[in-house]
Amino acid sequence: MASELSSQVLKGDHRAVAKAISIVEAGGEPSRKLIQELYPHTGKAFTIGVTGPTGTGKSTLVDKMVGEYRERGCSVGVLAIDPSSAFTGGALLGDRVRMMDHSLEKKVYIRSMASRGDLGGLARAARNTMRVLDAAGMDVVIVETVGAGQTEVQIASTVDATIVVLMPQLGDEVQAFKAGFAEIGDLFVINKSDIVNPSKTIYNIASGLQERDGWRPPVLKTVAVKGTGVPAVVDAIEKFQKHLDTGSLREKRLSKRIRSELVDAAFSDFYHETVTRLGDQKEFDSLVGRVVKRELDPETAASRLVGIISKIGEKA
Ligand SMILES: Nc1nc2c(ncn2[C@@H]2O[C@H](COP(=O)(O)OP(=O)(O)O)[C@@H](O)[C@H]2O)c(=O)[nH]1
Ligand SMILES: [Mg+2]
């Protein structure tokens, strides 16, 4: 039986979508129930990750992509994740304002999510947010992340296509590639082509890319502030989308993603449950006590703890 909230989400009601995202962001049992209701209604949205170093123009590009998709008759959901907002205490005010152009429209939904210490938790919240937007009828869901780290790799493993946004003469294209962008990009965008001629950067990047699953990632130039090159970016995504559909590549990639999602989610739940249960285990207390008194070494104690944990697991 679908809840009132789920049925409102399925109708695309923005207020319900906002509430649903807050629920999946918080996680736990309410999130699980909601996803259980919504999941059968997902699978229609094409999900795109937009990543790259700070200041390359990702938010600007996303904003212009939203416009382009709207012109093509698609509804678009946007999720902006900013790892720095955890430190500044604020959340993406700049991005919010910049992306505001479309947010009053019915066919566009924009949301930002503060990053937190727990990366696994963030990826989980992001995945489920995409599902809410998918269930709400969005044709395209775009997720923006900043930087070159674990977050990007995590988020890249949650979307159908990943766009890496760089700019000419960043000086560290090679470093950016070492940071792992080459592996995650299905499409590369060299933005701010108005500032410096991007030919050399395009050449450097294109020559460092390899064909994967019959797809050679294109390297395109844009001037996001003016919208120049943005239709070509959307064309390239649509081409990639078609490529994914041939030879059931999309399904293969999806099953790989689901596999790692399930392992991550199960381990995370298991970890939290275990910590809670160990809280009132006398055996665990005495194990700790023996290590403190140096009657037992920590490595041996850890291997005994494995035994204790599997015993509680059996009882549960
Ligand atoms: N000259 C120029 N500036 C741009 C371009 N795209 C974005 N910007 C500017 O670069 C700054 C950073 O853009 P933003 O989209 O916030 O970058 P993000 O950190 O990657 O999301 C902003 O001041 C934008 O107006 C572009 O194509 N050319
Ligand atoms: Mg941004």
Side-chain angles (χ1 to χ4, degrees), residues 205-219:
I205 287 170
S207 56
L209 294 174
Q210 277 166 359
E211 191 177 301
R212 245 187 316 152
D213 297 324
W215 175 261
R216 178 172 278 280
V219 185

Side-chain angles (χ1 to χ4, degrees), residues 20-37 116 118 120-122 124-125 128 265 268-270 272-273:
I21 293 174
S22 298
I23 289 172
V24 301
E25 223 181 327
E29 191 55 23
S31 167
R32 197 187 63 73
K33 276 216 177 87
L34 186 62
I35 293 301
Q36 186 181 36
E37 289 172 358
R116 46 189 127 165
D118 172 19
L122 178 65
R124 192 175 192 169
N128 287 331
S268 162
D269 288 350
F270 180 70
H272 291 294
E273 279 166 26

Side-chain angles (χ1 to χ4, degrees), residues 167-220:
M167 54 194 214
Q169 282 194 342
L170 205 57
D172 55 5
E173 290 122 34
V174 180
Q175 280 166 28
F177 271 52
K178 279 189 191 143
F181 281 132
E183 286 78 39
I184 64 173
D186 299 303
L187 182 75
F188 290 80
V189 168
I190 311 304
N191 187 42
K192 302 201 183 183
S193 296
D194 54 329
I195 297 177
V196 182
N197 185 332
S199 312
K200 193 163 161 262
T201 309
I202 291 174
Y203 174 81
N204 285 344
I205 287 170
S207 56
L209 294 174
Q210 277 166 359
E211 191 177 301
R212 245 187 316 152
D213 297 324
W215 175 261
R216 178 172 278 280
V219 185
L220 305 171

Side-chain angles (χ1 to χ4, degrees), residues 58-59 92 95 98 144 146:
K58 294 178 295 298
S59 298
L92 286 169
D95 280 359
R98 217 166 300 135
E144 181 196 338
V146 187

Side-chain angles (χ1 to χ4, degrees), residues 53-60 62 80-82 92 94-95 98-99 144-146:
T54 311
T56 52
K58 294 178 295 298
S59 298
T60 314
V62 168
I81 299 170
D82 186 354
L92 286 169
D95 280 359
R98 217 166 300 135
M99 288 181 173
E144 181 196 338
T145 53
V146 187

Side-chain angles (χ1 to χ4, degrees), residues 9-270:
V9 168
L10 294 177
K11 281 181 199 150
D13 179 77
H14 276 203
R15 239 174 245 269
V17 168
K19 199 169 167 199
I21 293 174
S22 298
I23 289 172
V24 301
E25 223 181 327
E29 191 55 23
S31 167
R32 197 187 63 73
K33 276 216 177 87
L34 186 62
I35 293 301
Q36 186 181 36
E37 289 172 358
L38 295 179
Y39 192 69
H41 306 278
T42 62
K44 283 170 233 106
F46 189 76
T47 55
I48 304 164
V50 175
T51 190
T54 311
T56 52
K58 294 178 295 298
S59 298
T60 314
L61 178 71
V62 168
D63 185 61
K64 291 293 181 342
M65 282 170 68
V66 169
E68 182 62 26
Y69 272 117
R70 288 298 302 124
E71 273 183 30
R72 296 183 190 203
C74 297
S75 51
V76 195
V78 176
L79 172 62
I81 299 170
D82 186 354
S84 64
S85 50
F87 303 107
T88 60
L92 286 169
L93 195 62
D95 280 359
R96 253 194 200 134
V97 171
R98 217 166 300 135
M99 288 181 173
M100 209 39 122
D101 283 4
H102 308 282
S103 55
L104 299 173
E105 251 185 282
K106 253 229 136 105
K107 297 282 189 179
V108 176
Y109 184 90
I110 294 171
R111 172 83 169 216
S112 53
M113 190 178 277
S115 158
R116 46 189 127 165
D118 172 19
L119 264 184
L122 178 65
R124 192 175 192 169
R127 279 186 183 110
N128 287 331
T129 297
M130 287 187 254
R131 287 180 179 133
V132 170
L133 293 169
D134 186 346
M138 296 299 170
D139 300 306
V140 177
V141 176
I142 306 176
V143 187
E144 181 196 338
T145 53
V146 187
Q150 272 307 108
T151 320
E152 284 53 57
V153 180
Q154 287 256 12
I155 299 303
S157 70
T158 68
V159 292
D160 293 310
T162 298
I163 303 179
V164 174
V165 183
L166 300 168
M167 54 194 214
Q169 282 194 342
L170 205 57
D172 55 5
E173 290 122 34
V174 180
Q175 280 166 28
F177 271 52
K178 279 189 191 143
F181 281 132
E183 286 78 39
I184 64 173
D186 299 303
L187 182 75
F188 290 80
V189 168
I190 311 304
N191 187 42
K192 302 201 183 183
S193 296
D194 54 329
I195 297 177
V196 182
N197 185 332
S199 312
K200 193 163 161 262
T201 309
I202 291 174
Y203 174 81
N204 285 344
I205 287 170
S207 56
L209 294 174
Q210 277 166 359
E211 191 177 301
R212 245 187 316 152
D213 297 324
W215 175 261
R216 178 172 278 280
V219 185
L220 305 171
K221 61 176 175 185
T222 57
V223 182
V225 269
K226 291 185 197 137
T228 316
V230 175
V233 170
V234 174
D235 284 344
I237 295 166
E238 288 183 347
K239 201 173 157 197
F240 182 63
Q241 209 168 338
K242 284 204 187 84
H243 171 76
L244 284 180
D245 286 332
T246 59
S248 64
L249 195 56
R250 190 175 176 190
E251 214 175 289
K252 262 187 241 160
R253 284 171 69 134
L254 182 63
S255 98
K256 212 171 135 190
R257 265 157 40 201
I258 297 287
R259 188 175 270 272
S260 70
E261 170 175 0
L262 296 192
V263 172
D264 287 352
F267 267 115
S268 162
D269 288 350
F270 180 70

